[in-house]
Amino acid sequence: MNLSSLPDFKAGVSIHPSHSKMCMVLDENEKALLEGVACKQLFLPAGNDHENCLPGGLAETVLGGKLTMECFPDMIHGWSTRGDLTNLSVKRDIDRAVQLYVQFFKDTL
């Protein structure tokens, strides 16, 4: 998320975002982190991701119109990088996520 505050960055994608938990571990202010974001964001949270990264959460409140979000309630954190592709629902949601972030970058960059 910090990189999204830099002028060279035009868009950011967070698949199963973890910045909320990282802010807690590092004792950083999540609201301040989000307030520094200068470019459009796409969040693709899993069902068990932190509430701040879900609809109605802190990220949506702070980022407002900069944020696009689609939730994957059947997935657990890490599904896009560690998901079992033999599980048809995981494969379905990975395929959907790839489609979403490719289109997001096409539309934003």
Side-chain angles (χ1 to χ4, degrees):
M1 295 302 297
N2 278 325
L3 293 175
S4 291
S5 69
L6 300 175
D8 290 340
F9 283 78
K10 305 302 179 204
V13 174
S14 297
I15 304 171
H16 45 78
S18 56
H19 67 270
S20 295
K21 291 182 182 178
M22 293 302 298
C23 284
M24 286 182 230
V25 169
L26 299 172
D27 196 30
E28 292 187 12
N29 184 320
E30 182 179 2
K31 184 177 181 193
L33 173 72
L34 293 167
E35 288 172 340
V37 170
C39 60
K40 292 185 178 186
Q41 300 292 305
L42 172 64
F43 281 15
L44 305 174
N48 69 336
D49 281 328
H50 195 279
E51 64 186 15
N52 287 355
C53 299
L54 298 175
L58 181 64
E60 189 173 64
T61 300
V62 173
L63 295 174
K66 292 181 202 170
L67 179 62
T68 301
M69 184 184 311
E70 184 165 324
C71 298
F72 291 83
D74 298 335
M75 298 296 108
I76 59 170
H77 186 85
W79 58 275
S80 73
T81 55
R82 300 184 306 262
D84 177 2
L85 289 173
T86 64
N87 179 319
L88 295 180
S89 62
V90 172
K91 182 176 181 343
R92 173 201 68 210
D93 285 357
I94 288 174
D95 289 347
R96 174 71 180 147
V98 170
Q99 176 188 32
L100 286 168
Y101 66 70
V102 166
Q103 190 60 53
F104 177 76
F105 283 133
K106 282 182 179 179
D107 292 345
T108 306
L109 302 179

